[in-house]
Amino acid sequence: MSAIMREMRSAYAFVERNINLIKRYWGWEIVWLIYSLVNSLAVTYIGAGMERISGQALDTQYLITYLLVGTLIWSYLSVIFYAISEMIAWERWEGTIEYTFMAPVSRPTHLVGTTLFAIGYGVVRTLVILVIVASFFHLDLSGANIPGAVLLLLAGSVSFVGLGILAAVLPLLYPERGAQMTNAAAALLLLISGVYYPVETLPAWLQMIAKASPATYVIEGMRGCLLHGARTVTLLPTVFLLFSAGIAVITVGLIVFRFMERYAKRTGRLKRSG
Amino acid sequence: MTIPALELKEVRKTFLKKKQKGRLSRAKREEVVALEKVNLAVQRREIFGVLGPNGSGKSTLIRLVSTLLLPDSGTIEVFGHDVEKEEFVVKRLINRVSVDAAFFKKFSPMENLTYAARLYGMPIREAREKMRQIMLRLGLKESTFTQPMENMSRGMQQKVAVARGFLTSPTLLLLDEPTTGLDPQSKRDVQAFVREIREDHDATVLLTTHDMEEANRLCDRIAIIDEGKIIALDTAGGLKNLVSKRNGQEPTLEDVFIELTGTRMEEKERDE
Ligand SMILES: Nc1ncnc2c1ncn2[C@@H]1O[C@H](COP(=O)(O)OP(=O)(O)O)[C@@H](O)[C@H]1O
Ligand SMILES: [Mg+2]
């Protein structure tokens, strides 16, 4: 019992630390929020302008909602991914990595804390963007299946937590370049997962890779829920798939992390510099 | 026989270092021996000093005990617990303070210490009270507790680092050059605190330094380490007895070092 309490306190350390980081670096936070917001708006305006671009009558409303769903879901998933992958990067930047790795905190506990924060942060941030973007466009969600969408998003989060752990390994091994490498990984996911266009638009070989991206299933499922009001029962196979794939990726992520942590301790890479 | 607070048996640690070669040839890796078959036993309630020039392997020794490095060979036990096999038991028994007082620099001392306390699973209300007490005891002013660390002087930051190290009541406290770069007053404050930790809290302290006087003043026993090897181990007095009196003057630890290695400590210092 007291052991559980202790683990909970340890996990909460990471929640509180991250909230403090937001408070202290609020300038960056606002810049990043504006960046995401403008990005979402810009993408959605492509839909709004499509009639003018093509010179043909189109269902603009549908296009707008289609793009909006993509950009918001991507915004949420990528925030989860980044927040988790930065669990090591921050300690590198501040030089505290040795102190955190010396503390009696197991990596799963470390992850639980980071995940709690990441999901809370992702939800709040996405809601802020949603509210602002919705004021620019007429958004019709009357026929949407909201509970189904939430369920799907939760299942999708699990996979992204796993991907985040895999990305978090990079700053462990590469003190300088590690964090940049995660950007490349996120950009690749954005390209292949059908965020702004149907996956079928991609060349066949990229479609193959798209099948391995959890975001592909989340976004397709979300469009089904929000645009076509797909019933929850029909979503269950996808939810189950995402959830089990997520658990698998997290397990693999933790194993890889453990292995790389030992490697870092053998080769002296936890040290502040070099 | 009682179990020692810390025991190292035949501990060896090497690193591969990139050697800057010509642009075209691939960067060659060179093996650096940081510790060469080190044997050491520190008893309970001892303040044990490791004295040596820069690059002699002091920090590597401390990191190995702190579970931040894994040895190439040999074993390390803290109160009989193997550092590798019983990692988490050991982690609860130790804490470490190093030269580079590493903190979240925009956080206040209280926030940084709260993070540390939570990581160690401490109930936060008690921990907060303890933080205040330790920081006040170290001579930090209450008004600095909630200011960002980046505005503090090096000496003040180092005191917060000492407070963080002691906050979790470690039974083995590892101090890696805790006073290097501090002004004389801060140095004395930290040294007095180290002594107090041992007297009042029965803690064992492993301390590295390249300050001869500090070793002389604080440590019950001192190991002199050079190029990864322990070349002498005794009390300060015992070490000095190794060297004969010169011109009727008591030898210093510096004299001992010169006698044993044939060089002065400063000349030895290689770049880290
Ligand atoms: N993480 C590391 N990676 C590579 N080389 C290291 C690392 N840590 C220490 N060394 C090397 O090991 C030797 C001993 O270093 P160190 O233990 O830091 O000495 P000291 O603390 O006595 O100054 C030095 O040659 C140093 O360059
Ligand atoms: Mg050192």
Side-chain angles (χ1 to χ4, degrees), chain A residues 26-104:
Chain A
W26 59 269
W28 290 15
E29 204 54 48
I30 289 179
V31 170
W32 198 36
L33 184 66
I34 291 176
Y35 172 83
S36 308
L37 184 62
V38 171
N39 222 358
S40 289
L41 284 172
V43 166
T44 315
Y45 271 117
I46 296 176
M50 211 55 218
E51 273 196 341
R52 282 199 178 77
I53 298 172
S54 66
Q56 286 169 6
L58 292 164
D59 187 350
T60 304
Q61 185 54 43
Y62 181 82
L63 260 177
I64 286 177
T65 318
Y66 183 94
L67 287 172
L68 206 52
V69 169
T71 182
L72 286 172
I73 302 308
W74 178 249
S75 155
Y76 171 77
L77 292 177
S78 61
V79 161
I80 302 267
F81 176 73
Y82 278 114
I84 306 258
S85 70
E86 281 179 2
M87 74 184 190
I88 303 305
W90 266 109
E91 308 267 356
R92 275 282 184 209
W93 294 327
E94 301 273 354
T96 51
I97 188 163
E98 289 194 320
Y99 293 90
T100 303
F101 275 73
M102 204 170 62

Side-chain angles (χ1 to χ4, degrees), chain B residues 33-44:
Chain B
V33 180
L35 288 179
E36 182 70 86
K37 306 263 173 193
V38 168
N39 288 291
L40 191 69
V42 178
Q43 301 308 321
R44 259 164 227 252

Side-chain angles (χ1 to χ4, degrees), chain A residues 267-271 273-274, chain B residues 15-17 32-34 52-61 63 69 176-177 208 225 270-272:
Chain A
T267 52
R269 293 199 186 217
L270 288 185
K271 212 174 133 178
S273 50
Chain B
F15 295 104
L16 284 180
K17 227 184 198 169
V32 178
V33 180
N54 278 336
S56 54
K58 303 184 295 297
S59 299
T60 301
L61 177 69
R63 285 198 174 93
L69 285 174
D176 193 1
E177 303 195 29
T208 77
I225 184 171
R270 39 175 164 144
D271 276 316
E272 247 183 296

Side-chain angles (χ1 to χ4, degrees), chain B residues 10 39-40 46 51 81 93 98 102 108 123 171 190 235 239-240:
Chain B
E10 298 288 302
N39 288 291
L40 191 69
E46 206 173 10
L51 181 70
H81 300 286
L93 295 171
S98 77
S108 68
T171 36
V190 170
T235 59
L239 287 172
K240 286 174 194 168

Side-chain angles (χ1 to χ4, degrees), chain A residues 89-130:
Chain A
W90 266 109
E91 308 267 356
R92 275 282 184 209
W93 294 327
E94 301 273 354
T96 51
I97 188 163
E98 289 194 320
Y99 293 90
T100 303
F101 275 73
M102 204 170 62
V105 180
S106 69
R107 243 23 88 196
T109 302
H110 194 162
L111 184 71
V112 166
T114 310
T115 303
L116 285 177
F117 166 79
I119 291 183
Y121 175 64
V123 166
V124 170
R125 206 166 172 282
T126 308
L127 282 178
V128 170
I129 297 178
L130 171 68

Side-chain angles (χ1 to χ4, degrees), chain A residues 13-269:
Chain A
F14 300 102
V15 177
E16 190 179 55
R17 181 202 77 175
N18 283 320
I19 292 173
N20 281 337
L21 281 171
I22 291 179
K23 279 195 223 150
R24 289 305 126 78
Y25 292 92
W26 59 269
W28 290 15
E29 204 54 48
I30 289 179
V31 170
W32 198 36
L33 184 66
I34 291 176
Y35 172 83
S36 308
L37 184 62
V38 171
N39 222 358
S40 289
L41 284 172
V43 166
T44 315
Y45 271 117
I46 296 176
M50 211 55 218
E51 273 196 341
R52 282 199 178 77
I53 298 172
S54 66
Q56 286 169 6
L58 292 164
D59 187 350
T60 304
Q61 185 54 43
Y62 181 82
L63 260 177
I64 286 177
T65 318
Y66 183 94
L67 287 172
L68 206 52
V69 169
T71 182
L72 286 172
I73 302 308
W74 178 249
S75 155
Y76 171 77
L77 292 177
S78 61
V79 161
I80 302 267
F81 176 73
Y82 278 114
I84 306 258
S85 70
E86 281 179 2
M87 74 184 190
I88 303 305
W90 266 109
E91 308 267 356
R92 275 282 184 209
W93 294 327
E94 301 273 354
T96 51
I97 188 163
E98 289 194 320
Y99 293 90
T100 303
F101 275 73
M102 204 170 62
V105 180
S106 69
R107 243 23 88 196
T109 302
H110 194 162
L111 184 71
V112 166
T114 310
T115 303
L116 285 177
F117 166 79
I119 291 183
Y121 175 64
V123 166
V124 170
R125 206 166 172 282
T126 308
L127 282 178
V128 170
I129 297 178
L130 171 68
V131 166
I132 300 178
V133 174
S135 71
F136 279 75
F137 302 99
H138 172 68
L139 196 61
D140 181 17
L141 292 178
S142 52
N145 171 8
I146 303 287
V150 171
L151 188 65
L152 206 54
L153 206 53
L154 271 178
S157 309
V158 182
S159 302
F160 268 71
V161 169
L163 293 175
I165 311 173
L166 285 169
V169 172
L170 296 169
L172 191 66
L173 299 181
Y174 307 100
E176 289 100 26
R177 288 155 294 147
Q180 277 99 299
M181 292 182 189
T182 53
N183 287 329
L188 179 69
L189 283 173
L190 175 63
L191 174 72
I192 61 166
S193 306
V195 176
Y196 302 132
Y197 37 79
V199 174
E200 293 73 33
T201 319
L202 294 168
W205 65 278
L206 276 180
Q207 287 188 41
M208 296 282 289
I209 310 179
K211 287 210 173 70
S213 163
T216 306
Y217 303 92
V218 182
I219 289 177
E220 195 186 280
M222 289 299 273
R223 291 215 168 98
C225 282
L226 298 176
L227 291 165
H228 309 297
R231 289 175 49 225
T232 306
V233 199
T234 62
L235 298 170
L236 288 180
T238 312
V239 168
F240 179 75
L241 179 74
L242 279 170
F243 193 74
S244 27
I247 297 294
V249 182
I250 289 179
T251 310
V252 171
L254 282 171
I255 291 170
V256 170
F257 199 100
R258 194 185 142 73
F259 184 79
M260 290 306 172
E261 186 175 332
R262 282 184 67 84
Y263 174 78
K265 285 178 177 182
R266 268 207 317 276
T267 52
R269 293 199 186 217

